[in-house]
Amino acid sequence: MVTFQLIAISATAQITFEASYPNAPGYSNSGLIQLSAAGYKYFENVNGQINIYNLNHSLFRTFSIPPQPFTPISNIGVRFVSDELFNTNSADIEYMIVYRDTTNFGIGPSHIRVYDELGNVLFLRDTADCPNSTNSFPMAQHGIVFTSAGVKMLIRDMSPSGAMEVYSLPGTIPCNECTGGVINGIQQTGGGTQPNQQLPAPYPNPTTSSVTIPYQLPAGTNSGTMIIYDLLGQEVKQYSVTSSFNTLVIESGTFLPGTYTYVLSTAQGNVAGNKIVVSE
């Protein structure tokens, strides 16, 4: 005879309620985002006003979506929020909206707009929509896809042709969001990316002459390699680092103007890096 014994386990961790954002209903009008310069934030779109909050739920930034012709502001959906994807200026925030012309959101042609927080148009496309992730593009979020050839934006033409259009974006996605923590498609060695670790932001950034990269090697590791990549995922330069120091100074004047990413490679795996913008 087989018997089963039920054992009650007392858990020490609890799921704790933090906050509610009740004024931004809909899957595309609120959520958690990651900014390259400022890290993780919450956002909500409340009747055309985008509010961005810190992880402690204090207000980080707020700005308004420009009015769109022939559509109520309440019909506008925010699809993607970034600070260095649709352009390479991490000082401002850009966002994608999708809306239709009529008060009935299910009827009428759809439109795509990308704005910066000052209301400048960075991209527009009419009679089109952005697809969600599919089996073909499992890492896509509203048509934004990270590839080894840079970040691509997929748009579906809503005319009878139904064609898929591919656009190259000038910026990139924060490294933790690129491909599940693998920066620029580079396969990791050893223990993989160290969980919950990311190097502090470099300074000054953007830079014209030199940039300082703070770092800390994982416990038990005495040396590592700081590897710099361009936005195409191509290695640009390597620097040896040791536990005797906690910063690396790079003469950025030897780099062409543009955006670069970096990763700290160690025997225990890779530690996620940040981004460097080299200005002219």
Side-chain angles (χ1 to χ4, degrees), residues 89-100:
N89 178 17
S90 61
D92 69 353
I93 293 176
E94 312 88 51
Y95 57 95
M96 173 192 291
I97 64 172
V98 176
Y99 68 94
R100 296 182 185 272

Side-chain angles (χ1 to χ4, degrees), residues 13-31:
Q14 294 183 353
I15 299 175
T16 305
F17 174 80
E18 284 193 14
S20 175
Y21 295 86
N23 298 318
Y27 73 96
S28 62
N29 280 316
S30 60

